[in-house]
Amino acid sequence: MSYEDIEMEIVRWSEARKIIPNSTPAVQLLKALSELGELADATIKDDLGQIKDGVGDVMVCLINYCALQDINLVDCMESAFREIKDRKGTLLENGVFVKD
């Protein structure tokens, strides 16, 4: 299944359950943050099954957020990539990115 196909399935699922239009961008953002916390917990525990579930849950919330904002998630990713693609530098072992 392509990204676009699964995104549309998620939107349809959310519409059928009245998440769209009865939710708000703020609610979906807070839900995404909650799911991100669960993802962090799964990462700490090195639980691959829960990591995959967590990534998926965060993405569902972001797709819903974008649908409620009437913006396209892929467009957002493309815009962010265009902004960073020419940056030069390296990530140090301590997690600090040093720009050239």
Side-chain angles (χ1 to χ4, degrees):
M1 204 182 258
S2 72
Y3 174 83
E4 290 81 8
D5 292 339
I6 193 67
E7 180 181 27
M8 284 311 304
E9 288 295 316
I10 290 167
V11 169
R12 286 186 196 110
W13 177 88
S14 296
E15 288 171 340
R17 284 148 187 82
K18 304 296 186 204
I19 296 168
I20 300 170
N22 290 343
S23 189
T24 65
V27 166
Q28 289 303 302
L29 180 59
L30 290 174
K31 182 66 177 164
L33 289 171
S34 173
E35 298 293 352
L36 196 58
E38 290 181 20
L39 175 58
D41 187 57
T43 300
I44 290 167
K45 294 175 180 172
D46 197 27
D47 184 335
L48 185 58
Q50 288 300 306
I51 289 169
K52 289 179 179 181
D53 181 69
V55 169
D57 289 346
V58 170
M59 291 301 297
V60 167
C61 293
L62 290 177
I63 289 167
N64 287 339
Y65 176 88
C66 288
L68 289 163
Q69 293 282 45
D70 197 28
I71 58 177
N72 182 289
L73 182 58
V74 174
D75 290 345
C76 296
M77 291 187 295
E78 183 181 352
S79 176
F81 180 68
R82 277 195 312 268
E83 187 175 318
I84 67 168
K85 69 181 176 69
D86 295 323
R87 289 183 185 166
K88 305 240 185 299
T90 190
L91 185 68
L92 302 178
E93 290 180 12
N94 65 1
V96 175
F97 186 82
V98 179
K99 295 179 184 179
D100 287 344

